[in-house]
């Protein structure tokens, strides 16, 4: 690695870190440029441990000793800046002190992930990066084999998704579907029974469903506002709901995912 002190916040050398708060812009440009940003020393370490390749690092000097053993094998620039310099580059106060730009890995093929899986999660049009990160963290903790995201779902490799997942996005295999709900046929042809988590008159309770689980199970969770599309619910093999008390109609999608995964965990 090569230590470089940043003196110009607009330098091309740190262009990977510019305008990190512009979600709409970064959501387009990062996949196009084949890059993703990891934030915090812990997440950077987990990305490297998972085999991701760093392009550069931007951080306060106080984090250098912690990360140096992990960065030493790579011939990359390590840009050092004080907190004010980091804010000038990124557009926000970098509380965790360290950022790294990584080469974005090639997207996995959904069919390849399904081939060896027994329990998968599908995220339909979930647009909040925090929710995506929290769901993936739950999937890692509760032994989900793969996560599939629909075309309009938020990017699991966006900085906030990665941070909220605590880097577990690098541990859970995931892929993006090309068409939805048409690609539900991939699940069924691979032998999965598909369960849609939805509020519906004919839904069975999660407890009842979990009492006789299929050998291969796909659980679908819908967008934060409207839930699953009607076409998705109609095409599913099962419709499942989490019983609620005190007139609460539903949980946050990340919480609902964790509850459903716990109830349907491998025994």
């Amino acid at each position: 690695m090569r230590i470089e002190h940043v003196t110009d916040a607009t330098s091309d050398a740190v262009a990977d870190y510019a305008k990190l708060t512009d979600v709409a812009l970064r959501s387009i440009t990062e996949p196009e440029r084949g890059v993703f940003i990891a934030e915090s020393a812990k997440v950077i370490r987990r990305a490297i441990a998972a085999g991701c390749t760093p392009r550069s690092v931007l951080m306060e000097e106080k984090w250098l000793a912690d990360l140096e053993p992990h960065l030493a094998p790579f011939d990359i620039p390590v840009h050092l800046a004080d907190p004010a310099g980091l804010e000038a580059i990124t557009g926000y106060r970098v509380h965790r002190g360290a950022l790294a730009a990584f080469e974005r890995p090639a997207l996995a093929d959904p069919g390849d992930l399904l081939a060896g899986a027994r329990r998968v999660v599908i995220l339909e049009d979930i647009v909040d990066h925090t929710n995506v990160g929290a769901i993936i963290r739950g999937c890692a903790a509760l032994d989900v084999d793969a996560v599939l995201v629909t075309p309009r779902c938020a990017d699991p490799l966006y900085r906030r998704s990665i941070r909220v997942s605590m880097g577990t996005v690098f541990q859970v295999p995931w892929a993006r579907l090309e068409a939805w709900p048409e690609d539900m046929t991939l699940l069924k042809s691979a032998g999965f029974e598909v369960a849609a988590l939805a509020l519906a008159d004919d839904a069975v309770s999660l407890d009842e469903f979990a009492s006789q689980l299929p050998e291969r199970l796909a659980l679908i969770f819908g967008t934060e506002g409207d839930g699953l599309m009607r076409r998705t619910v109609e095409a599913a093999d099962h419709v499942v709901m989490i019983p609620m008390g005190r007139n609460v109609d539903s949980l946050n999608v990340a919480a609902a995912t964790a509850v459903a995964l716990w109830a349907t965990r491998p025994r």
Side-chain angles (χ1 to χ4, degrees):
M1 62 179 187
R2 309 184 302 276
I3 305 298
E4 300 178 2
H5 291 268
V6 181
T7 57
D8 180 4
T10 64
S11 169
D12 288 342
V14 290
D16 279 343
Y17 307 96
K19 300 180 180 178
L20 288 184
T21 57
D22 191 330
V23 178
L25 175 66
R26 301 294 303 203
S27 296
I28 295 171
T29 58
E30 287 184 11
E32 286 180 347
R33 294 170 54 231
V35 65
F36 71 84
I37 303 296
E39 182 176 11
S40 85
K42 177 182 288 187
V43 172
I44 292 169
R45 290 196 301 269
R46 286 186 173 176
I48 292 172
C52 298
T53 303
R55 292 159 52 111
S56 66
V57 181
L58 173 66
M59 63 181 171
E60 291 183 59
E61 189 165 2
K62 66 180 181 180
W63 296 101
L64 183 57
D66 182 27
L67 284 172
E68 188 169 10
H70 305 276
L71 299 175
F74 302 98
D75 182 20
I76 58 171
V78 175
H79 306 290
L80 301 182
D82 60 20
L86 292 177
E87 186 172 2
I89 296 165
T90 64
Y92 73 103
R93 188 74 171 175
V94 185
H95 297 291
R96 292 165 181 82
L99 298 161
F102 283 84
E103 302 288 349
R104 184 175 284 254
L107 280 174
D109 179 84
D112 291 343
L113 296 189
L114 293 176
R118 288 293 179 269
R119 192 170 59 143
V120 302
V121 164
I122 298 93
L123 306 185
E124 181 185 278
D125 299 352
I126 296 177
V127 296
D128 186 280
H129 291 96
T130 298
N131 282 334
V132 170
I135 289 170
I136 290 177
R137 185 176 181 180
C139 289
L142 296 167
D143 294 323
V144 169
D145 296 311
V147 174
L148 302 179
V149 301
T150 62
R152 292 192 296 269
C153 187
D155 181 12
L157 287 182
Y158 182 70
R159 173 176 55 89
R160 190 174 298 135
S161 299
I162 296 172
R163 188 184 71 219
V164 173
S165 82
M166 293 300 293
T168 56
V169 68
F170 308 121
Q171 299 172 307
V172 180
W174 68 274
R176 189 173 291 277
L177 297 165
E178 294 184 358
W180 186 259
E182 292 80 5
D183 279 348
M184 197 183 297
T185 57
L186 293 175
L187 297 161
K188 295 188 177 185
S189 63
F192 284 86
E193 290 190 32
V194 179
L197 273 288
L199 300 175
D201 292 339
D202 60 344
V204 300
S205 74
L206 180 59
D207 285 339
E208 179 182 348
F209 179 71
S211 67
Q212 289 186 310
L213 291 173
E215 182 178 351
R216 307 187 86 181
L217 173 63
L219 296 165
I220 310 176
F221 300 89
T223 187
E224 295 85 354
D226 298 327
L228 293 173
M229 294 186 294
R230 179 178 296 180
R231 287 192 299 154
T232 300
V233 175
E234 291 174 349
D237 300 306
H238 309 274
V239 184
V240 180
M241 66 177 294
I242 301 172
M244 299 285 155
R246 298 186 179 179
N247 295 318
V248 176
D249 60 355
S250 64
L251 298 173
N252 165 273
V253 65
T257 303
V259 170
L261 293 180
W262 172 257
T264 60
R265 69 195 184 279
R267 307 289 177 165

